[in-house]
């Protein structure tokens, strides 16, 4: 910590709290102050020196921590100083007897809004903590400084009151001239949110201002609605008609809801279960005369009081007031019970208050389990006991418990516990931490989360030697496939090794095929393809082996051709190569490919006639048509001619077309009438329809009629 | 905004709102302010970021490695320009270790202030439709054994259950379905803490693997929406159409500016007319359109009858709705014409040859598909396919047909299979050998083993082919493919009545296990309702025609079951096959 603290010894330290943090203010022998505003982050601030402190001495001081600002108020002789992080200001206390020569004690309220000063004259000054406003003063005329002086207020109360303690006396001072005094022995005062806890050697008491509601109800001869309702209920129990009178009195003023609310509220402030019950019963009685009163407040109060009564029991010993309980929240109460290992009670409370399992029962059970793993029992027993209790309880994180076990040096137990974890994904990080890579891989695969599988695979890749890594992957096909995908994108060479390792010749061959397409040089490509041929053969994929061999042959041929003609052939398909050759008139080469690669006749004919038509070589086309019987028929000839806008040539082939296709052929060359004649003659419905669909307004009417007639005839058939 | 999401029995707006809320929360974290004013939205591109006067840049991306490299490039160029922008990444739907590692390798991970995930597994597309829009899901599951998308599907189902209550009954068929169900049951145990107190909206969940029914997506969809998707493709609820049919014919305007930009139309059930015709067989759409046209022009004629001020006022108040209806009608008439050009050989003599060829091709293609589906000559090399290859028709068309033949024949004989494969490699190039390999791995192409061809049994038992199909007023789901009833939807239909026990034999022939699981409901949440709601989840994609068939079942009164459809992706045969292709391209020589 700061150099100040290492040089000078600490004479006093005060701890202060706020809703968000706990801090410490430190005074050293050299009368210097330092503050740690938050013990969590341990930053230490030196406060400025207070002038003249060393000579006049320090009589008392206190911390004011408000709105993230921490100030010190200190008294030195008759001076009061306010000290903050960058200045020290002297202040005059408003409305205080100027004769005062020193302050013997000072105390800030629980919320730091108020400050009380005890002077050497026995006067108690009460005011705001910024020392700008005086709220009251009480002269107790004791010159001896009190052992303790604390505020006793409840939130939003208008009554400033301070409790002071001397050796055998407890004194409550407020605005009034009177004080309340109690004789006491040996005790200690603890200021709290809504009162003061008085802890004696044999007793524990709580002193607080009577809440306004309770006062209204229990004041003698009170006419407050709550008081009347309570009275009404008492009479009702006695079966007296007065019950009705009281009730009427409240109802006439339309105050029944207020009365019920008062009773409910007052019940919260009461400590004795009997009194609570009395008030709640009265509230319930009043409620039954109301139709629109929401039951929620009543029900909540009953539930919460039951919880409070349970924790107030001496075996638990948490005498919380209702106000404190509300301030703390149930969560904190449960945490405190858990901290005291009162697990069963905590669980009962969660169930009673219907807290969602996630924050409630599961939370408690998890803590129990984390405690359990630290016990000196055999691993199996603990794991069994934990599973027995937790089972499939919702929201339980077995991996958290396992992490705890691992932390406590029990990896075996951790693994047993992880096995219960339903979220496989959750198990993975801890397993990796424990260096159980294989197990982690299993769990990751189980979870179905591929990203998690990748996480483990990458971990294993770094942790293991390559051989073991591959062997591990082999045992897990899912991981292996994913790793392959990774390699395809990132590490091509590893991919090859993987296939080799697995003797996956088919994939290896595919790999070489892919490789060959990465290369620009034909020779290199051929070499890669040759490897592919070998692998395809090993994979007994004869078709692929042969197809690849043919591709090699084609590449070599194209290369040669390219060299000879200086035209690009490489990378064209066999079909396209032949087509180009035909277009260029290299019939010899085309023929050679046709024979070498055993191109089916039909396709070769199509290739040839399409190419001839494209280059408008009609003479050659005709010659070819007569070379032998066309394996693709003659409609194809008509089609290619029409495609290249030569109906004249097309007509030459119409007569050769087989009868069933003749209608189509005539239509293609635009001879509707001939088509119609044939269709009518053949009496084929489809043909007739076809022709009819090609007739339009310019077509001869009689032709259409003839067609329609023939069609109806065909229909009848 | 999205009223159409809340029309159905299940209000999907609940899901949408939950997703919106989460996005807003992330934006809050990035900007630190309550106003999430998005200045500009850019599509991710390599290079440097486009200029914009903004402080925060949020990369809203899928966790893919390629994308990480682009982002790294963007960030590096920003650093070079010494800009003082803050970068954030939002991964959809989940963060990924590998992506973060990649960013680290690229040295830009530290440049990001926020790295977070936006858990958006299921995106509501319509009142009864959810999609994960994970286009690679099928490929990853069946080719790469990467089940990431299934994990996301299970997570998405958990989110749905958190919002709509625990689904008491789960049925499934297929390996992936089993895996998803297992994960869901496991996750339920993991989150047992938060007992779901919502009255269940869904009675049943049906999980179906796409590979249980490989046939349906291969067939050409014949519903209106299905055809739009087949021909023009529907992406994210939008279709891009050729513009020439959408020119406004306004009187007095001589200008004949032909638009060149494709016409982009949003397609969902928010549009009344579209909702009515989307699921009809295309052959029944024309009648509806002409009926609508009559109604609308009659409504406009009303203005002549409006005499009093009150009547005119009444008429004017309806005008916006009528005009919207008119423009909707005009749009769909145009689309229907476009489709008709392609699908019907008839009526279109005057449009020139190319269209005739196109329509003829469509017709021939359909004929072959139907032959396969009815089991005609599926064991021999098909001459139509041969001709198409010879004329080098688009490869995907060929692959769709060959795969279909293989599926309908429970695999092809070695000779036939090798012949097709060889033809394809010779014609389209050797580089497709990996694609063929993928199709075999996915089971779309296979070698017929000694086992008997069981497709005819499946077809007969499940009544997959209906000869007497009624396209206008359908009485069976087979209308969506003009005869073929999608196997997947048949399974759903039989599950409701008479139950899967009646088809045990067939279920055993289809790949993967079939199962049933029950999820305990908290007491007091059991409901007895006449009308049941089933969530059907297609793992690996669903087609619009299947959706139409399910909607048809929802409407059939005797069924009493309404379907909500979820899928990893909305697919058609083309996009599906494309996702399975491996494109090899050699560097320039």
């Amino acid at each position: 910590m700061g150099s100040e603290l290492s040089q000078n010894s600490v004479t006093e330290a005060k701890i202060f709290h706020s809703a968000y943090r706990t801090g410490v203010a430190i005074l050293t022998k050299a009368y210097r102050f330092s503050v740690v505003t938050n013990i969590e982050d341990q930053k230490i601030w030196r406060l400025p020196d207070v002038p003249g402190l060393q000579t006049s001495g320090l009589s008392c001081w206190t911390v004011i921590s408000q709105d993230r600002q921490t100030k010190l108020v200190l008294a030195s002789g008759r001076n009061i100083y306010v000290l903050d992080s960058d200045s020290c200001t002297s202040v005059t206390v408003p409305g205080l007897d100027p004769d005062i020569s020193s302050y013997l004690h000072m105390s800030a309220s629980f919320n730091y809004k108020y400050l009380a000063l005890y002077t050497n004259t026995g006067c108690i000054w009460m005011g705001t903590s910024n020392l700008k406003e005086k709220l009251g003063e009480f002269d107790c005329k004791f010159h001896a400084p009190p052992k303790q002086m604390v505020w006793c207020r409840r939130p939003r109360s208008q009554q400033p009151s301070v409790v002071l303690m001397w050796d055998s006396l407890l004194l409550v001072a407020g605005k009034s001239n009177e004080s309340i005094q109690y004789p006491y022995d040996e005790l200690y005062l603890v200021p709290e949110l809504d009162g003061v806890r008085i802890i004696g050697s044999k007793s524990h008491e709580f002193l607080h201002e009577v809440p306004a509601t309770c006062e209204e109800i229990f004041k003698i001869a009170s006419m407050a609605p709550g008081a009347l309702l309570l009275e009404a209920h008492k009479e009702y129990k006695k079966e007296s008609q007065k019950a009705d009178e009281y009730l009427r009195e409240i109802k006439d003023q339309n105050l029944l809801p207020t009365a019920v609310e008062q009773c409910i509220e007052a019940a919260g402030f009461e400590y004795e279960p009997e009194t609570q019950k009395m008030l709640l019963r009265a509230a319930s009685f009043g409620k039954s005369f109301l139709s629109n009163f929401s039951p929620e407040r009543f029900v909540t109060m009953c539930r919460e009081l039951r919880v409070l009564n349970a924790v107030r029991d001496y075996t638990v010993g948490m005498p919380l007031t209702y106000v404190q309980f509300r301030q703390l929240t149930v969560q904190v109460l449960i945490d405190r019970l858990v901290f005291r290992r009162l697990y069963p009670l905590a669980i009962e409370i969660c169930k009673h208050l219907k807290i969602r399992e996630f924050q409630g029962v599961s939370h408690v059970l998890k803590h129990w389990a984390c405690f359990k793993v630290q016990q000196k029992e055999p691993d199996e027993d603990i794991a069994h006991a934990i599973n027995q209790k937790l089972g499939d309880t919702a929201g339980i994180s077995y991996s958290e418990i396992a992490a705890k076990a691992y932390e406590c040096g029990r990896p075996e137990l951790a693994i047993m516990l992880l096995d219960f974890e339903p979220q496989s994904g959750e198990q993975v990080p801890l397993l990796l931490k424990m260096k159980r890579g294989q197990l982690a891989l299993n769990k990751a695969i189980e979870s179905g989360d591929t990203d998690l599988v990748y996480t483990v695979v990458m971990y294993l890749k770094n942790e293991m030697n390559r051989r073991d890594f591959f062997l591990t992957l082999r045992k897990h096909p899912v991981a292996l496939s994913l790793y392959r995908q990774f390699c395809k994108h990132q590490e091509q060479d590893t991919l090859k090794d993987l296939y080799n390792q697995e003797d996956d010749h088919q994939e290896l061959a595919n790999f070489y095929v892919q490789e060959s397409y990465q290369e620009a040089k034909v020779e290199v490509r051929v070499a890669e393809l040759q490897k592919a041929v070998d692998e395809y053969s090993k994979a007994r994929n004869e078709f692929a082996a042969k197809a690849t061999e043919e591709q090699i042959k084609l590449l070599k041929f194209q290369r040669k051709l390219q060299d000879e003609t200086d035209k690009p052939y490489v990378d064209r398909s066999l079909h396209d190569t032949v087509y180009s050759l035909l277009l260029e008139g290299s019939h010899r080469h085309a023929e050679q490919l046709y024979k070498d690669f055993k191109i089916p006749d039909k396709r070769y004919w199509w290739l040839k006639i399409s190419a001839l038509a494209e280059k408008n070589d009609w003479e050659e086309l005709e010659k070819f048509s007569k070379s032998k019987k066309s394996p693709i028929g003659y409609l194809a000839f008509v089609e290619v001619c029409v495609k290249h806008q030569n109906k004249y040539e097309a007509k030459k082939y119409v007569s050769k077309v087989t009868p069933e296709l003749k209608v189509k052929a005539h239509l293609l060359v635009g001879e509707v009438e001939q088509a119609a004649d044939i269709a009518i003659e053949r009496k084929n419905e489809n043909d007739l329809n076809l022709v009819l669909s090609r007739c339009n307004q310019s077509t001869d009417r009689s032709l259409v009629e003839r067609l329609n007639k023939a069609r109806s005839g065909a229909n009848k058939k | 905004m999205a009223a159409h999401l809340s029309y159905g029995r299940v209000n999907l707006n609940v899901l949408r709102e939950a997703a919106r809320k989460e996005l807003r929360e992330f934006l809050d974290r990035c900007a630190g302010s309550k106003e999430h004013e998005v200045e500009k939205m850019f599509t991710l591109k390599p290079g440097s970021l486009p200029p914009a006067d903004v402080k925060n840049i949020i990369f809203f991306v899928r966790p893919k490695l390629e994308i990480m490299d682009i982002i790294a490039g963007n960030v590096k160029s920003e650093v070079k320009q010494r800009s003082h922008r803050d970068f954030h990444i939002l991964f959809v739907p989940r963060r990924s270790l590998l992506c973060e590692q990649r960013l680290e390798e690229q040295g830009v991970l530290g440049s990001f202030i926020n790295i977070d995930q936006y858990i958006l597994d299921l995106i509501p597309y319509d009142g009864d439709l959810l999609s994960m829009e994970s286009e690679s899901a099928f490929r990853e599951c069946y080719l790469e054994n990467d089940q990431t998308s299934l994990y996301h599907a299970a997570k998405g189902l958990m989110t749905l259950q958190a919002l709509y209550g625990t689904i008491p009954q789960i049925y499934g068929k297929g390996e992936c379905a089993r895996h998803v169900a297992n994960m869901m049951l496991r996750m339920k145990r993991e989150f047992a803490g938060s007992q779901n107190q919502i009255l269940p909206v869904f009675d049943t969940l049906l999980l179906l693997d796409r590979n249980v029914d490989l046939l349906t997506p291969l067939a050409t969809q014949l519903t209106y929406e299905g055809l739009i998707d087949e021909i023009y493709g529907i992406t994210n609820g939008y279709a891009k159409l050729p513009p020439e049919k959408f020119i406004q014919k306004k009187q007095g305007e001589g200008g004949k500016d032909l638009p060149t930009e494709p016409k982009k139309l949003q397609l969902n059930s928010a549009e009344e007319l579209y909702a009515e015709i989307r699921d009809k067989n295309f052959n029944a759409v024309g009648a509806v359109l002409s009926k609508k046209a009559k109604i609308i022009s009659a409504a406009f004629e009303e203005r002549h009858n409006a005499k009093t001020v009150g009547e005119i006022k009444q008429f004017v108040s309806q005008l916006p709705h009528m005009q919207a209806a008119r423009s909707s009608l005009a749009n769909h008439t145009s689309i229907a014409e476009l489709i008709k050009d392609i699908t019907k050989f008839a009526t279109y003599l005057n449009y020139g040859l190319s269209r005739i060829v196109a329509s003829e091709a469509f017709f021939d293609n359909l004929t072959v598909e139907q032959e396969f589906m009815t089991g005609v000559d599926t064991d021999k090399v098909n001459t139509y396919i041969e001709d198409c290859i010879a004329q080098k028709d688009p490869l995907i068309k060929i692959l769709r047909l060959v795969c279909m033949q293989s599926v309908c024949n429970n695999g092809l004989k070695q000779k036939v299979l090798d012949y097709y494969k060889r033809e394809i490699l010779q014609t389209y190039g050797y580089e497709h050998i990996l694609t063929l390999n993928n199709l075999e791995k996915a089971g779309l192409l296979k070698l017929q083993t000694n086992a008997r061809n069981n497709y005819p049994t499946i077809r007969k038992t499940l009544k997959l082919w209906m000869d007497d199909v009624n396209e206008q007023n359908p009485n069976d789901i087979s209308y969506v493919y003009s005869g073929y009833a999608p196997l997947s939807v048949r399974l759903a239909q039989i599950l409701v009545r008479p139950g899967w026990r009646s088809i045990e034999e067939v279920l055993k022939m289809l790949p993967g296990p079939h199962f049933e699981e029950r999820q305990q409901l908290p007491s007091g949440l059991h409901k007895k309702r006449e009308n049941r709601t089933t969530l059907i989840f297609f793992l690996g994609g669903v087609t619009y025609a299947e959706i139409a068939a399910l909607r048809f079942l929802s409407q059939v009164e005797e069924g009493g079951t309404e379907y909500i459809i979820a899928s990893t992706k909305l697919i058609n045969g083309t996009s599906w096959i494309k996702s399975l292709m491996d494109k090899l391209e050699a560097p320039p020589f």
Side-chain angles (χ1 to χ4, degrees), chain B residues 412-425:
Chain B
L412 298 170
K413 278 185 213 143
Q414 183 88 53
K415 229 177 91 187
V416 177
L417 182 64
D418 284 358
Y419 179 79
Y420 279 138
K421 280 176 16 183
R422 191 155 175 273
E423 282 293 280
I424 289 169
L425 293 186

Side-chain angles (χ1 to χ4, degrees), chain B residues 87-139:
Chain B
F87 298 108
H88 316 267
I89 283 198
L90 193 52
F91 286 115
V92 190
R94 252 156 220 100
R95 291 175 72 144
S96 129
L97 175 86
L98 289 186
C99 286
E100 283 168 50
Q101 269 185 3
R102 184 66 157 242
L103 289 175
E104 195 171 11
E105 280 163 29
Q106 296 264 19
V108 294
L109 189 67
S111 307
F112 292 95
I113 296 190
N114 274 306
I115 296 183
D116 216 322
Q117 57 188 12
Y118 179 42
I119 303 177
L120 181 69
D121 291 310
L122 286 164
I123 305 163
Y125 262 65
D126 222 315
D128 58 354
L129 181 59
L130 298 158
S131 170
M132 287 167 58
E133 283 308 288
S134 160
E135 51 267 309
S136 48
F138 184 85
R139 186 190 169 104

Side-chain angles (χ1 to χ4, degrees), chain A residues 666-678:
Chain A
H666 280 296
L667 286 178
L668 274 173
V669 297
E671 296 170 341
V672 182
E673 280 177 39
Q674 284 92 323
D677 289 340
I678 296 171

